[in-house]
Amino acid sequence: MLYRSVAILTIVAMLPVIVSASDNKKNPKDDPDAIGNRNVGQGVNFYSIEKEIALGKQLAQEVERQAKVVDDPIIAEYVSRIGQNLVRNSDAKVPFTINVLDSEEVNAFALPGGFFFVNTGLILKADNEAELAGVMGHEIAHVACRHGTRNATRGQIAQIGMIAASIAIPYGWTGYAIRQGAGLAIPMGFLTFSRANEREADHLGLQYMYKAGYDPASFVDFFEKIESLEKRKPGTVAKVFSTHPMTDDRIKAAQDEIQRDLTPKSEYVVNTSEFIDVKARIAMLHGRRKLDNKSDPSRPTLRRAPGSGNGPVDANDDGTKPKTDEEDRPTLKRRDGGS
């Protein structure tokens, strides 16, 4: 176990507390105060909790054999701690095992039974800890609702032992119907969530991040960013987002639910210094010198005296173009008379 002392800076959003005049009885699924005391995973399911955990463990082992798990203890512990805090504030009935995968693909997926993987690319794409928590809350909701095994129960499952081959690379959790080149039939009912599943995960994931203290508006912020990115450069977003994208109606529904179901708090967690530190470590892991180096106004700059001859500069102090090394070197003039 590695311990270190860190000063943690937490950025919070201060908001006025508005208490609704109506105190009508909420549907438990719309009430964050009912989290943990409602059976969101109910429905026909041939898988017991024990069998679901065993299945998820088998698939997770296949993922770990094929993908590269980040072994940096600071990154791993931080992401796991964020996830476990969300799990404690969720309806999940299974323990979670959370790992970080070294992949630049913007992706995260939670297998049945609570085996959760977060790609480093997702962390790099998030602007703050609350955005990361929003995506993780959404995936935790899929597990809490037991969407994977409930879909499998509908008779759309086949060749379970071959599923993991198409989870980690290159297609992501949602997968394709057929893995090209290998000819493996992928059970779409098990790997792909319906629009109703996605909406339910949006609805509950918002509540989980809200209950854990995060600003739920960051959930919308992140998925608006993903939607915009995919429109500008189709194919740049992981299949987990492109199969069931954050369409305008889903974004609007999430905004409505924030207003309707989530009583504003006086403050929310938006970002922490730990997130900034972990994001920088991941950037180093990916071989990048520094995140947003050009946009950092506090970074040190070196200003050389004009004509120092130690490399190019943009301009001299008087605004003239600097001399090149060729122009600046001394020259030998011959005397008149041929000497």
Side-chain angles (χ1 to χ4, degrees):
M1 179 68 71
L2 177 64
Y3 295 92
R4 69 171 188 161
S5 175
V6 293
I8 300 176
L9 170 67
T10 301
I11 301 174
V12 297
M14 306 294 292
L15 295 174
V17 178
I18 303 174
V19 179
S20 174
S22 61
D23 191 23
N24 296 328
K25 189 72 174 179
K26 285 185 176 181
N27 182 326
K29 288 189 69 173
D30 299 334
D31 186 3
D33 292 332
I35 288 175
N37 298 313
R38 53 193 184 179
N39 295 317
V40 300
Q42 283 186 327
V44 179
N45 196 330
F46 294 162
Y47 291 79
S48 65
I49 290 291
E50 293 74 17
K51 187 176 180 181
E52 187 167 310
I53 292 173
L55 172 62
K57 182 177 182 180
Q58 176 189 347
L59 299 178
Q61 289 171 345
E62 291 297 324
V63 171
E64 292 172 15
R65 274 196 284 268
Q66 297 179 63
K68 182 180 179 183
V69 177
V70 173
D71 58 6
D72 183 311
I74 294 173
I75 297 173
E77 189 277 333
Y78 168 77
V79 175
S80 179
R81 177 155 38 88
I82 297 299
Q84 297 297 350
N85 183 35
L86 289 164
V87 171
R88 284 193 296 271
N89 290 281
S90 77
D91 297 290
K93 304 298 185 184
V94 295
F96 271 66
T97 301
I98 303 171
N99 285 302
V100 182
L101 298 182
D102 185 4
S103 170
E104 294 196 24
E105 186 179 51
V106 182
N107 199 0
F109 58 92
L111 300 172
F115 296 88
F116 193 179
F117 294 90
V118 178
N119 283 9
T120 52
L122 172 64
I123 302 170
L124 290 175
K125 184 59 64 178
D127 288 332
N128 52 58
E129 185 173 297
E131 289 188 358
L132 174 62
V135 178
M136 295 180 73
H138 174 94
E139 295 300 321
I140 290 168
H142 279 307
V143 176
C145 294
R146 306 184 69 193
H147 284 153
T149 51
R150 285 168 63 192
N151 288 345
T153 299
R154 295 187 178 101
Q156 300 177 2
I157 189 165
Q159 299 182 2
I160 295 177
M162 305 305 294
I163 292 172
S166 293
I167 291 178
I169 43 180
Y171 303 121
W173 167 232
T174 52
Y176 284 142
I178 296 177
R179 174 162 178 163
Q180 299 297 327
L184 303 178
I186 304 303
M188 291 295 288
F190 189 76
L191 293 177
T192 305
F193 299 126
S194 67
R195 290 189 179 276
N197 290 160
E198 295 293 347
R199 281 293 302 115
E200 187 174 29
D202 291 346
H203 182 64
L204 298 179
L206 276 169
Q207 295 179 32
Y208 299 163
M209 67 180 299
Y210 169 86
K211 188 75 178 291
Y214 293 104
D215 182 0
S218 296
F219 176 91
V220 176
D221 292 342
F222 182 80
F223 282 106
E224 284 182 330
K225 178 168 58 182
I226 291 298
E227 183 189 35
S228 175
L229 177 63
E230 184 63 17
K231 285 180 178 178
R232 291 198 315 270
K233 297 180 179 179
T236 58
V237 181
K239 299 298 180 294
V240 72
F241 296 114
S242 64
T243 301
H244 291 290
M246 280 299 289
T247 53
D248 291 337
D249 62 315
R250 284 179 63 191
I251 292 174
K252 178 63 165 58
Q255 292 170 330
D256 290 343
E257 287 166 10
I258 291 172
Q259 294 295 321
R260 184 183 68 244
D261 300 329
L262 307 181
T263 303
K265 298 180 180 180
S266 59
E267 63 181 37
Y268 295 108
V269 174
V270 176
N271 206 12
T272 67
S273 59
E274 279 189 293
F275 175 83
I276 298 170
D277 179 49
V278 165
K279 191 170 179 178
R281 292 179 75 88
I282 292 172
M284 293 292 290
L285 186 70
H286 286 190
R288 303 177 187 176
R289 291 185 178 274
K290 186 177 180 181
L291 290 171
D292 299 326
N293 195 32
K294 293 182 180 179
S295 62
D296 184 359
S298 65
R299 68 187 180 96
T301 57
L302 176 64
R303 186 174 184 180
R304 294 193 287 102
S308 62
N310 291 327
V313 293
D314 292 334
N316 293 330
D317 286 342
D318 59 3
T320 62
K321 185 178 180 179
K323 293 182 178 180
T324 64
D325 289 342
E326 190 68 28
E327 294 171 331
D328 213 27
R329 73 169 53 169
T331 59
L332 179 64
K333 290 186 66 175
R334 298 178 64 185
R335 295 181 182 176
D336 292 337
S339 57

